[in-house]
Amino acid sequence: MDDDDAMEESSGGKLLKDCFLRPNGLVKASEFVRLITDALNSLGFNGIATDLEKQSRIPLHSPAAKQFLQLVKNREWEQSIDSLKFLDELPDDHDDKAVRLLLLEQKYFQFLNKGQLPEALKTIREEIQPLGLEIRLLHKLASKMLKPDDSGEDDDDKEVVRKKLQKLLPLGVIVPERRLEYLLENDLWRQRINCDFHNVPDSDLSLFSYHYCDRQKIPSETLQVLSEHRDEVWFLAFSHDGKYLASSSKDKTAILWEMDEDGKFREKHKLVGHEKPVVAVLWSPDDQQVITCGENEVIKRWDAAVSGQCVQTYGNVGVGSVSCGWFHDGSGIIGAMEDRRIYLWSLDGTEMEHEQEQRAQKMSDVAMTTSSDGKWIVSVGKEQHEISLFSRETRAERVIQLPEGNVITSFSLSRDSRLLLIDLISEEIQLWCIAGELPFKVQWFKGHKRTRSVIRSCFGGYDENFIASGSEDSQVYIWHKGLRPYRVLGGHSGAVNCVSWNPANIHMLASGSDDRTIRIWGLAKNSRK
């Protein structure tokens, strides 16, 4: 029987029972109707849901099951236990002991929460114990009398009880709430996971078609070239809101770029004041300020929102900076200095105590994790083939130790600080997970070129599932899940030193080069909506 015939027989007085939906006949029509009824109720269309039950003659729940659920919702435990015998869906050989036990436990908790200890004790002795509950579990229940909690008193506990009942009762007696929504969302989730090049917002997913992204959803076309720097571009960073881009250069300046209504970047502030090349520029967590790191010079903090003026300088006399970063909450500055030590400063320039050991070699990068507590200081370790994870709380140190010869040139953290990209002198990028007790290598990427320059990589795209890197062959390399790059972007005429993926626009990427330009990459015209 096909769908149309089934509906015709339903309107003529016959139920849809035992009918299956096309195309493959795997979905029972009765279950499908019940799920639609539940979905209508969850959306607030109760009247339409009632009409569907009447017209299809398929109730969401049988009258007995409906009464049972209402009694459970009202916490009428004795009556709900009594109503079990009226559930026609229960087979004759069904053992309802587990269901009765669950309901009696709720009854016991309710007495405890009301301070009715004699009634609670009576429930254990006369009703729960005869069901054969293990002594250990009986003692656990009885211990609640000494330290009662709020079990069974709020809506969350009602939901927990309902879910437990679904598992204890035969399939279909209780329809799982919002089950249709879960099935549909789970299907979209699987489509997203199986999409080899997934790089679109979740809002682009649709129930009306099977989802799959092709390579055209990756930035591949130059949208704009920024040529204001007078020497090599060494560092790029989009602001957290994606509306601004910061660049630093060998020309001793940094530039803050602002995106206009047409998506084009225009110079907002040029930061002038360093006496040497600027190796890094980084946004504060609120995007109102930036810090710049001069090569073996000082660290400067600038007002990015209004004036573009320097508001504070950090450093020690005779000790230049190598790298810098913000505290996780913007309350301080961290610097890796030429004397192979890490320094911390409050915003007003006061140096803070820090007990981390001096490094044997000059450090190339330093950062602080962006979790709520800013717990870890990440830096190149005592040797150039080590990454140090130093706890500000315990002063303990975890070390990622690579084989000797794998010299680390730079690294970058994911936005949630769970993942770490390590750039090696051996033309390899390693991806590490640092979220747990023991860091471990997840994957590695090859294909780009590096012989002399510091080449930086970054996370980006949907959920930061892509890796982008510069290269000395004047190209930008992009990886997703594979060892080999599947997107190589040409356009620069010099080594590409740095890349930055817009965190607010997964289709925008920036690259900076020895050719003194910054390229803004976006989708090819034929793939834009």
Side-chain angles (χ1 to χ4, degrees):
M1 179 184 294
D2 62 24
D3 303 353
D4 295 332
D5 292 336
M7 290 307 297
E8 287 176 9
E9 291 202 21
S10 174
S11 63
K14 293 185 179 180
L15 298 176
L16 292 174
K17 185 179 179 181
D18 299 329
C19 294
F20 290 84
L21 302 182
R22 288 196 286 182
N24 297 316
L26 298 177
V27 178
K28 297 175 183 177
S30 58
E31 291 184 351
F32 187 59
V33 170
R34 294 175 72 188
L35 291 181
I36 293 175
T37 302
D38 172 72
L40 289 170
N41 282 325
S42 69
L43 292 171
F45 299 120
N46 304 77
I48 299 175
T50 300
D51 287 342
L52 178 59
E53 288 182 287
K54 289 179 180 178
Q55 292 189 38
S56 66
R57 300 188 180 183
I58 299 176
L60 177 61
H61 295 112
S62 69
K66 187 175 182 180
Q67 182 184 25
F68 170 73
L69 288 173
Q70 188 62 47
L71 291 170
V72 170
K73 183 178 180 180
N74 295 340
R75 306 185 196 281
E76 299 178 46
W77 307 117
E78 290 186 13
Q79 294 91 328
S80 62
I81 292 172
D82 290 339
S83 69
L84 283 173
K85 59 178 176 284
F86 299 110
L87 290 177
D88 296 333
E89 298 94 335
L90 299 184
D92 295 337
D93 59 349
H94 177 73
D95 186 359
D96 65 358
K97 183 172 69 173
V99 177
R100 295 168 62 86
L101 180 58
L102 173 63
L103 299 174
L104 287 171
E105 284 179 349
Q106 299 307 309
K107 177 182 177 181
Y108 167 72
F109 291 140
Q110 185 170 311
F111 281 138
L112 284 185
N113 293 327
K114 291 181 178 180
Q116 296 174 299
L117 298 186
E119 290 83 353
L121 185 59
K122 182 179 179 182
T123 300
I124 285 185
R125 288 176 175 173
E126 298 183 6
E127 298 184 85
I128 296 179
Q129 188 172 1
L131 291 177
L133 189 64
E134 293 180 26
I135 298 298
R136 174 180 57 86
L137 298 177
L138 279 173
H139 288 169
K140 185 178 179 180
L141 276 177
S143 68
K144 298 283 187 180
M145 290 187 179
L146 302 177
K147 191 178 179 181
D149 55 27
D150 296 329
S151 299
E153 284 299 313
D154 55 34
D155 290 337
D156 289 338
D157 287 314
K158 289 181 183 179
E159 182 64 24
V160 169
V161 172
R162 182 186 173 106
K163 288 182 178 179
K164 288 182 178 180
L165 287 171
Q166 287 171 199
K167 294 180 180 180
L168 295 174
L169 291 169
L171 185 66
V173 175
I174 300 176
V175 175
E177 290 185 328
R178 308 177 78 98
R179 176 67 177 171
L180 183 59
E181 296 168 52
Y182 169 80
L183 291 173
L184 295 174
E185 189 168 83
N186 187 60
D187 183 65
L188 291 177
W189 178 83
R190 289 183 180 278
Q191 291 181 38
R192 188 178 67 189
I193 291 298
N194 292 328
C195 179
D196 291 336
F197 310 108
H198 186 74
N199 196 43
V200 297
D202 286 345
S203 58
D204 282 14
L205 300 177
S206 174
L207 295 173
F208 297 147
S209 64
Y210 187 83
H211 171 75
Y212 187 79
C213 293
D214 57 23
R215 293 171 179 260
Q216 300 305 314
K217 294 301 181 183
I218 309 302
S220 59
E221 183 174 294
T222 299
L223 304 181
Q224 187 178 6
V225 179
L226 307 176
S227 307
E228 277 71 5
H229 280 296
R230 298 182 178 180
D231 211 326
E232 300 169 0
V233 180
W234 283 2
F235 199 95
L236 292 172
F238 277 103
S239 60
H240 299 87
D241 63 9
K243 297 178 181 179
Y244 302 90
L245 176 67
S247 61
S248 69
S249 169
K250 189 178 178 181
D251 67 7
K252 306 176 187 178
T253 71
I255 297 178
L256 305 185
W257 311 85
E258 183 176 17
M259 187 190 301
D260 62 21
E261 294 180 354
D262 298 324
K264 299 294 184 180
F265 284 92
R266 300 287 182 266
E267 181 180 317
K268 181 180 181 183
H269 297 301
K270 177 173 282 191
L271 311 183
V272 179
H274 282 285
E275 298 178 359
K276 295 182 179 181
V278 182
V279 298
V281 55
L282 298 159
W283 293 91
S284 61
D286 63 2
D287 291 334
Q288 297 300 299
Q289 304 176 84
V290 296
I291 52 173
T292 53
C293 180
E295 185 179 42
N296 299 326
E297 197 200 339
V298 295
I299 299 169
K300 291 179 177 288
R301 178 165 60 92
W302 308 76
D303 170 30
V306 181
S307 68
Q309 297 298 309
C310 178
V311 295
Q312 185 68 48
T313 299
Y314 308 88
N316 294 329
V317 177
V319 181
S321 64
V322 178
S323 180
C324 60
W326 287 91
F327 279 27
H328 68 291
D329 57 1
S331 63
I333 306 297
I334 179 173
M337 308 303 283
E338 197 176 18
D339 63 358
R340 306 189 303 280
R341 293 184 182 276
I342 292 175
Y343 292 84
L344 307 180
W345 295 275
S346 60
L347 290 181
D348 64 6
T350 303
E351 186 176 333
M352 303 167 67
E353 183 179 356
H354 184 58
E355 301 174 2
Q356 201 165 355
E357 294 181 12
Q358 186 178 23
R359 298 297 188 255
Q361 305 289 332
K362 186 175 76 172
M363 290 172 286
S364 57
D365 261 336
V366 67
M368 184 176 291
T369 55
T370 56
S371 56
S372 59
D373 55 3
K375 180 178 180 179
W376 299 97
I377 292 176
V378 186
S379 65
V380 176
K382 296 178 182 179
E383 302 293 339
Q384 286 285 9
H385 61 277
E386 295 178 350
I387 289 286
S388 165
L389 305 172
F390 182 81
S391 172
R392 297 176 64 207
E393 294 178 350
T394 65
R395 301 293 187 258
E397 185 176 32
R398 300 178 190 167
V399 176
I400 296 175
Q401 192 166 46
L402 306 180
E404 289 192 29
N406 282 348
V407 176
I408 298 167
T409 59
S410 65
F411 67 78
S412 58
L413 285 165
S414 60
R415 284 198 299 270
D416 60 8
S417 296
R418 296 177 61 84
L419 298 174
L420 180 70
L421 276 181
I422 304 175
D423 293 276
L424 303 177
I425 200 171
S426 58
E427 297 184 336
E428 179 176 302
I429 302 170
Q430 293 190 2
L431 174 63
W432 285 73
C433 177
I434 60 173
E437 289 296 321
L438 294 175
F440 62 91
K441 184 165 66 174
V442 178
Q443 199 172 357
W444 64 94
F445 309 93
K446 288 186 175 181
H448 63 304
K449 306 300 179 183
R450 185 213 173 281
T451 57
R452 57 178 180 81
S453 305
V454 174
I455 301 296
R456 296 185 178 275
S457 59
C458 72
F459 294 93
Y462 180 85
D463 205 24
E464 292 196 308
N465 284 331
F466 292 84
I467 307 298
S469 174
S471 177
E472 287 187 4
D473 63 2
S474 306
Q475 301 184 105
V476 176
Y477 286 74
I478 300 176
W479 297 263
H480 187 215
K481 298 176 181 178
L483 172 65
R484 296 180 180 276
Y486 72 86
R487 206 67 165 161
V488 180
L489 313 181
H492 284 288
S493 59
V496 179
N497 301 308
C498 51
V499 288
S500 182
W501 211 305
N502 193 321
N505 180 354
I506 58 179
H507 296 147
M508 179 178 286
L509 176 71
S511 57
S513 170
D514 281 358
D515 65 10
R516 306 182 180 186
T517 69
I518 300 165
R519 284 182 176 261
I520 306 298
W521 305 86
L523 299 184
K525 291 181 180 178
N526 60 359
S527 65
R528 299 176 205 164
K529 288 186 175 181

